[in-house]
Amino acid sequence: MASIAMDSSSSSSSPSALYPPPAVPIKLHIENREKLLKHLRENLSSSSRPLHGFVLLQGGEEQTRYCTDHEDLFRQESYFAYLFGVREPGFYGAIDVDTGKSILFAPRLPAEYAVWMGKIKSLSYFEETYMVDKAYFTDEITQALTNQYQGSGKPLLFLLHGLNTDSNNFSKPAGFEGIENFETDLKTLHPILTECRVLKSKLELAVIQYANDISSEAHVEVMRKIKPGMKEYQLESIFLHHTYFYGSCRHCSYTCICATGDNSSVLHYGHAAAPNDRTFIDGDMALLDMGAEFYFYASDITCSFPVNGKFTSNQRLIYNAVLDAHDAVISSMKPGVNWVDMHKLAEKIILQTLQKESLLVGDVDEMMVERLGSVFMPHGLGHLMGLDTHDPGGYLQGFKKPKEPGLKSLRTSRDLLDGMVITVEPGCYFIDALLVPAMESPKTSKFFNRDAITKFRGFGGVRIESDLYVTADGCLNMTKVPRKIEDVEAVMGGAPWPIKKSFYGYENGGS
């Protein structure tokens, strides 16, 4: 596999070094199916179960806006995308556990589809495009799987059903007319397939890297164009335009957070009730959490900087506290390191800086016991990332989430593994809803220098977020944006920002 050319000389006539975007080989999904089969067969063999049956997944369906006929832009269900890479809605996919053969089931479209939506593609098109062994129509599932089955009795279907520990929603097992003719297993598949998604292949890493590269480039573009007096949504627009225009990223990984001033203390700002609509002014900090999705795979990047391009002393204080935490975690990451320990490390470094600069007083270890870090960083340090921004697998079956303040927000408490992609996103925020109770609590009030803290009321917050790939002996940062204050100020002042060659990738436009 060739590598993405990251230097600007590769595209001298384009404002983007990453255009055109790479073609992604369908081999990525073939490897994913092979990986699932390997682990599923191992599981069945270890429990003395026969290697018969079918993995059956149902793809996503198009949704309309409430009672209208307005169709929201379709995005494939992530488990289905992982195994088959199908862009279109209404599909099913099966894998024969015995033979390893893969089958797609396409919706049988009416003739008028060709008038409104374009040419109706043949089954052979889907076989060739998605490199499966056979394609049928969805109304042929029962007959096709029954004919394919080599075992005795009713064919067995391994269906996807399990808890997403981020949303507390359950994945939807496949359903179709005639399913009563099959035996179904709702327990085996989900934990195995989820764990497959936790550890990324080299092809997956290449796609995630491109998503990071184009998003990093877009963040730098925002840094260069921002100026006091703009609207927050204009920053969102610059980012979305760049990633779509140059990177073909039609989807964003999540709703953009473009928070300035005190809005930057709102952790999930940007939602419908707080829609990135403030006019920011000279002296404000901006916290921009934005990541493009490329070929199903996410990026998740947060940059914080003053909107006028120059840090004040107070802004430097908070920014460097967070950057020190960010860098210390990355320096400590390697397989076997526990994520709860990394979260506590980030908390401790931020508290140490706040104490050193006299915002806090007293013993930092005692602050840690009283969970004071959660007042300034109420969210978790980071999360697994892949086909979803918050990728599944953060908590293994039966594992209980921590209950302490701050720790209860962790999206994983696992030990790091070679092949994981995980975000590192420490933050320091001045949130009245947390500060006021902590300053009044008999357990924590003694730690606050009230006069110093008062100067930061209304400051907002700082978050610095990068996407990390855990390697055999450490980790690699996939995010390529300015982080040091001198680099941020230089880029905002017009200096070039070289994005170095990625460690995985494709040639631009290559296959």
Side-chain angles (χ1 to χ4, degrees):
M1 180 177 59
S3 61
I4 294 180
M6 300 301 295
D7 57 298
S8 59
S9 62
S10 66
S11 183
S12 58
S13 62
S14 170
S16 172
L18 303 169
Y19 179 81
V24 180
I26 206 70
K27 181 183 177 183
L28 183 154
H29 306 286
I30 295 174
E31 290 183 356
N32 289 348
R33 294 196 293 269
E34 291 171 346
K35 182 179 180 180
L36 170 63
L37 269 177
K38 175 180 179 292
H39 291 291
L40 178 58
R41 287 168 173 168
E42 288 174 354
N43 178 276
L44 295 175
S45 296
S46 67
S47 54
S48 302
R49 298 172 67 186
L51 303 182
H52 288 157
F54 300 92
V55 170
L56 182 68
L57 266 66
Q58 182 174 354
E61 300 282 350
E62 280 189 311
Q63 303 293 325
T64 58
R65 182 184 293 173
Y66 307 114
C67 65
T68 75
D69 63 351
H70 171 84
E71 293 178 348
D72 294 327
L73 178 61
F74 176 74
R75 195 275 194 186
Q76 187 59 264
E77 192 279 327
S78 292
Y79 283 101
F80 196 81
Y82 178 80
L83 291 178
F84 297 102
V86 173
R87 294 174 299 179
E88 299 89 344
F91 275 66
Y92 291 72
I95 306 171
D96 189 327
V97 176
D98 181 19
T99 66
K101 290 186 176 181
S102 54
I103 307 167
L104 278 178
F105 298 94
R108 194 186 294 271
L109 301 172
E112 57 265 28
Y113 180 98
V115 176
W116 297 96
M117 306 297 283
K119 183 179 178 181
I120 297 176
K121 298 179 177 71
S122 65
L123 293 177
S124 62
Y125 168 87
F126 296 119
E127 291 172 358
E128 294 166 8
T129 300
Y130 297 117
M131 295 180 69
V132 293
D133 295 288
K134 195 67 179 174
Y136 299 95
F137 291 112
T138 54
D139 56 20
E140 299 175 309
I141 293 177
T142 299
Q143 180 182 352
L145 295 185
T146 301
N147 292 342
Q148 177 82 14
Y149 185 60
Q150 300 297 318
S152 58
K154 287 184 177 182
L156 174 62
L157 301 180
F158 294 97
L159 304 180
L160 188 69
H161 181 67
L163 178 68
N164 182 305
T165 56
D166 290 307
S167 66
N168 285 322
N169 295 326
F170 284 85
S171 53
K172 176 187 174 184
F176 60 94
E177 189 173 341
I179 195 171
E180 66 276 4
N181 297 308
F182 297 83
E183 298 288 344
T184 57
D185 179 328
L186 292 171
K187 295 182 178 180
T188 302
L189 179 61
H190 187 270
I192 297 172
L193 183 52
T194 297
E195 195 64 12
C196 287
R197 286 180 58 181
V198 168
L199 304 180
K200 273 58 178 181
S201 69
K202 287 188 176 182
L203 287 173
E204 287 184 288
L205 288 168
V207 178
I208 296 170
Q209 183 62 67
Y210 185 81
N212 259 269
D213 288 341
I214 194 67
S215 296
S216 295
E217 194 177 68
H219 271 281
V220 170
E221 187 76 358
V222 173
M223 287 182 184
R224 289 184 171 138
K225 291 185 175 179
I226 191 172
K227 57 184 178 180
M230 294 175 69
K231 289 283 192 178
E232 292 167 333
Y233 58 69
Q234 291 178 296
L235 310 181
E236 178 179 15
S237 176
I238 293 168
F239 180 89
L240 295 175
H241 169 74
H242 191 93
T243 56
Y244 195 3
F245 192 85
Y246 296 113
S248 74
C249 300
R250 198 174 190 188
H251 293 276
C252 212
S253 300
Y254 49 91
T255 302
C256 291
I257 298 171
C258 294
T260 62
D262 193 37
N263 290 341
S264 58
S265 67
V266 181
L267 301 180
H268 283 172
Y269 184 76
H271 56 87
N276 295 332
D277 61 353
R278 177 177 178 266
T279 301
F280 49 87
I281 61 175
D282 195 8
D284 282 342
M285 279 291 286
L287 186 160
L288 306 182
D289 189 339
M290 303 182 286
E293 177 182 297
F294 177 70
Y295 192 80
F296 304 122
Y297 284 84
S299 61
D300 190 354
I301 300 170
T302 306
C303 297
S304 298
F305 49 83
V307 301
N308 63 12
K310 294 293 181 181
F311 285 80
T312 66
S313 58
N314 283 348
Q315 290 168 345
R316 283 175 175 270
L317 189 165
I318 304 304
Y319 185 89
N320 280 330
V322 176
L323 182 60
D324 288 347
H326 169 272
D327 292 350
V329 168
I330 291 174
S331 296
S332 302
M333 287 173 59
K334 61 183 179 180
V337 169
N338 182 263
W339 198 240
V340 178
D341 292 339
M342 291 296 93
H343 179 96
K344 290 179 178 178
L345 172 63
E347 281 185 327
K348 188 168 187 177
I349 288 174
I350 291 170
L351 290 175
Q352 285 173 336
T353 301
L354 297 181
Q355 186 232 38
K356 179 183 176 183
E357 299 295 335
S358 300
L359 277 76
L360 300 176
V361 294
D363 183 70
V364 171
D365 289 332
E366 191 178 347
M367 296 178 197
M368 291 290 292
V369 171
E370 298 297 341
R371 301 297 310 133
L372 191 67
S374 67
V375 174
F376 296 96
M377 189 175 81
H379 59 72
L381 175 64
H383 50 81
L384 300 177
M385 191 190 77
L387 286 158
D388 292 301
T389 309
H390 299 153
D391 232 23
Y395 288 94
L396 299 172
Q397 277 189 324
F399 195 89
K400 301 292 186 183
K401 286 188 175 184
K403 295 182 179 180
E404 300 94 329
L407 302 182
K408 66 183 180 182
S409 298
L410 281 166
R411 297 185 184 275
T412 185
S413 61
R414 295 181 62 168
D415 292 345
L416 296 178
L417 299 172
D418 182 1
M420 282 180 169
V421 173
I422 192 165
T423 66
V424 174
E425 49 181 302
C428 181
Y429 316 87
F430 295 86
I431 305 171
D432 280 346
L434 297 175
L435 274 174
V436 172
M439 292 171 73
E440 294 175 352
S441 167
K443 290 185 176 181
T444 55
S445 61
K446 62 184 179 182
F447 297 122
F448 292 93
N449 179 340
R450 293 173 182 271
D451 290 339
I453 286 287
T454 298
K455 296 177 183 178
F456 285 85
R457 301 281 286 274
F459 175 94
V462 167
R463 180 162 64 251
I464 299 174
E465 180 179 15
S466 302
D467 302 336
L468 279 296
Y469 157 48
V470 182
T471 64
D473 57 358
C475 65
L476 284 168
N477 192 343
M478 306 176 87
T479 302
K480 311 294 183 185
V481 295
R483 292 303 192 194
K484 294 181 180 178
I485 285 179
E486 57 266 32
D487 291 337
V488 173
E489 291 185 340
V491 167
M492 294 184 73
W497 176 249
I499 303 178
K500 295 180 181 179
K501 190 174 182 181
S502 303
F503 59 96
Y504 283 121
Y506 313 93
E507 295 287 354
N508 281 8
S511 62

